[in-house]
Amino acid sequence: MRITVFGATGGIGQEIVGQALSAGHEVTAVVRAPDRLPESLDRAALHAVARLDDPSAVRAAVAGRDAVLSGLGSHGRKANGVAERLTGKVLSAMEAEGVRRLVVVSAAPVGPEPEDEPLVDRLMRKGIGAVLAELYADLARMEAALDRSATDWTVVRPPRLTDGPRTGVFVGGTPRSGRSVSRADAAHAMLALADDPAAVKQGVGIAY
């Protein structure tokens, strides 16, 4: 596939780029600061690198692509509308270029509560939700913008992210008592779902 990855310097973004290149995909990376691309990513293997703050470059980066994958989001508790604002730039570029397939990362608490969730998990979810309320509100607004868009979107909602290895195992739906997943497996899930028509306009929970 010809794919464009937003947020390629982030934890999930780096994993998406590395796994996509290893799988033989043509990859364009869109980042806020190109000089921050980690040495672990083979820059020479990338199709192109574009700056997120250059609207014409962003449009060129998504033009003619089979899928766009986004790891954009806040790196801390103070979201400041980052996910909603930056994803808006992605949507504008995609709609201008007539590109439809989009897979983005959100968070498990933004999705529906799992059925028959144990009390300890319910309390944990509420506690984390109170601490990260601003972050989750930003992601919820981002998801609402996706729902209003003309794109064929999929939202991937992981719980706590870890730096563990890729196992290739993830659970769809809203996992019960799923408390963590590695960034490598989140990226693996996003790449797999990008080519899955059944995932279009769906929120997909992933966890161990």
Side-chain angles (χ1 to χ4, degrees):
M1 287 193 298
R2 296 167 299 173
I3 69 173
T4 295
V5 181
F6 284 80
T9 58
I12 290 179
Q14 289 184 50
E15 286 287 347
I16 295 172
V17 171
Q19 292 181 35
L21 289 173
S22 296
H25 298 303
E26 181 182 288
V27 181
T28 293
V30 183
V31 296
R32 279 176 269 195
D35 58 351
R36 288 180 54 202
L37 276 172
E39 294 182 3
S40 58
L41 293 181
D42 184 358
R43 185 161 182 160
L46 291 170
H47 176 68
V49 178
R51 291 188 64 99
L52 183 60
D53 59 1
D54 183 343
S56 61
V58 171
R59 279 191 60 171
V62 303
R65 310 309 277 175
D66 298 309
V68 174
L69 283 73
S70 173
L72 292 170
S74 173
H75 296 299
R77 296 181 182 179
K78 298 296 182 182
N80 296 321
V82 167
E84 180 187 20
R85 184 173 67 254
L86 297 185
T87 303
K89 294 184 178 184
V90 178
L91 291 172
S92 295
M94 291 180 66
E95 291 177 356
E97 293 296 332
V99 177
R100 297 189 61 88
R101 190 69 181 109
L102 174 63
V103 183
V104 306
V105 65
S106 182
V110 182
E113 293 187 5
E115 294 183 10
D116 302 321
E117 186 175 37
L119 178 60
V120 63
D121 293 311
R122 197 178 317 131
L123 293 174
M124 186 180 301
R125 174 190 284 257
K126 289 183 177 180
I128 294 173
V131 173
L132 300 179
E134 182 180 331
L135 175 65
Y136 295 147
D138 180 32
L139 291 172
R141 291 192 299 270
M142 176 196 73
E143 290 196 17
L146 294 175
D147 199 38
R148 295 191 300 267
S149 76
T151 60
D152 292 333
W153 54 267
T154 298
V155 173
V156 174
R157 300 182 181 125
R160 183 176 62 87
L161 291 164
T162 74
D163 291 324
R166 184 178 68 163
T167 67
V169 176
F170 64 92
V171 179
T174 306
R176 184 177 185 270
S177 296
R179 297 178 183 175
S180 69
V181 70
S182 71
R183 291 175 177 83
D185 275 334
H188 171 77
M190 292 175 72
L191 284 165
L193 292 166
D195 200 30
D196 182 359
V200 171
K201 299 190 184 301
Q202 299 294 318
V204 180
I206 57 172
Y208 301 134

